Amino acid sequence: MCGAEIDFCVTTPSISKQLGTTKAQAGSAEAFEKIDREYVINAAKAAKTDDPKQRLVYLSSMSANANSRMLYTRSKGLTEQGLAALFSDCIVFRPGLLKAADRGGPPRLAETIYGKVLDVKELAKGIALAAAQGSANLAPEALATKEDPKKEGVSPYWVVGNKGCFGLSRLWK
């Protein structure tokens, strides 16, 4: 699939997902958006049930913004909104730089030399905890903020930033 990273896990009542690629791996902007947004939203639609307790936890990007001029950040922001339109309980993780992320390609330079990095194993702990808690019961350590795109058909959703990712991972027992 164009060198895409795939990891889609369905648990009841939660769905956790991470499916993505880069424009270079995909070969074009159109192919990138198909993999990064369309496939993700279609997979979430396929996993959705009638269970009112079902929730979705999405691993996005620190700089996600549906109004961005940059392809990657715009795609992530639009994906968040597309998923929030499907699930009334939607939690989005926006971590910063990641350590030990096996993407099947060369390491990303910024993730090897800059900033405070979050180990993907620690991030996974935080995601699992958020999936178990749901947005109504997220621990204060998540430092979650409510994002309301004020778009018809798109529910508000909760965003856990980099500090919240660290905070939740420390709660894992």
Side-chain angles (χ1 to χ4, degrees):
M1 186 191 302
C2 304
E5 306 159 25
I6 301 171
D7 180 24
F8 189 85
C9 174
V10 178
T11 59
T12 303
S14 302
I15 298 172
S16 298
K17 89 91 311 273
Q18 199 282 317
L19 169 69
T21 188
T22 64
K23 182 179 165 189
Q25 290 173 319
S28 69
E30 295 77 24
F32 169 80
E33 289 186 280
K34 184 172 196 134
I35 294 166
D36 203 64
R37 187 169 65 243
E38 289 178 39
Y39 287 179
V40 170
I41 291 172
N42 288 339
K45 284 178 185 175
K48 187 165 172 40
T49 69
D50 293 331
D51 184 347
K53 294 179 181 175
Q54 189 178 37
R55 66 185 59 98
L56 181 128
V57 178
Y58 172 62
L59 178 56
S60 189
S61 170
M62 177 172 55
S63 54
N65 180 343
N67 299 312
S68 176
R69 298 168 117 195
M70 296 179 65
L71 176 67
Y72 180 81
T73 54
R74 182 179 63 245
S75 181
K76 293 297 183 192
L78 290 171
T79 302
E80 290 177 6
Q81 290 181 5
L83 295 171
L86 296 172
F87 294 85
S88 58
D89 191 358
C90 183
I91 302 168
V92 173
F93 275 73
R94 291 183 183 162
L97 302 175
L98 299 175
K99 178 172 76 175
D102 182 7
R103 295 187 170 90
R108 295 180 182 172
L109 182 61
E111 290 177 351
T112 58
I113 61 173
Y114 292 112
K116 187 165 187 174
V117 294
L118 178 65
D119 190 289
V120 293
K121 292 175 189 170
E122 297 302 308
L123 176 61
K125 292 174 185 178
I127 288 173
L129 189 57
Q133 292 176 336
S135 58
N137 298 305
L138 269 176
E141 288 84 352
L143 304 173
T145 58
K146 194 173 194 175
E147 180 114 351
D148 187 356
K150 300 194 184 327
K151 287 179 118 177
E152 189 174 332
V154 179
S155 300
Y157 54 96
W158 292 91
V159 174
V160 178
N162 202 51
K163 284 184 182 179
C165 294
F166 278 103
L168 280 177
S169 72
R170 288 187 200 104
L171 295 178
W172 183 264
K173 303 218 182 299

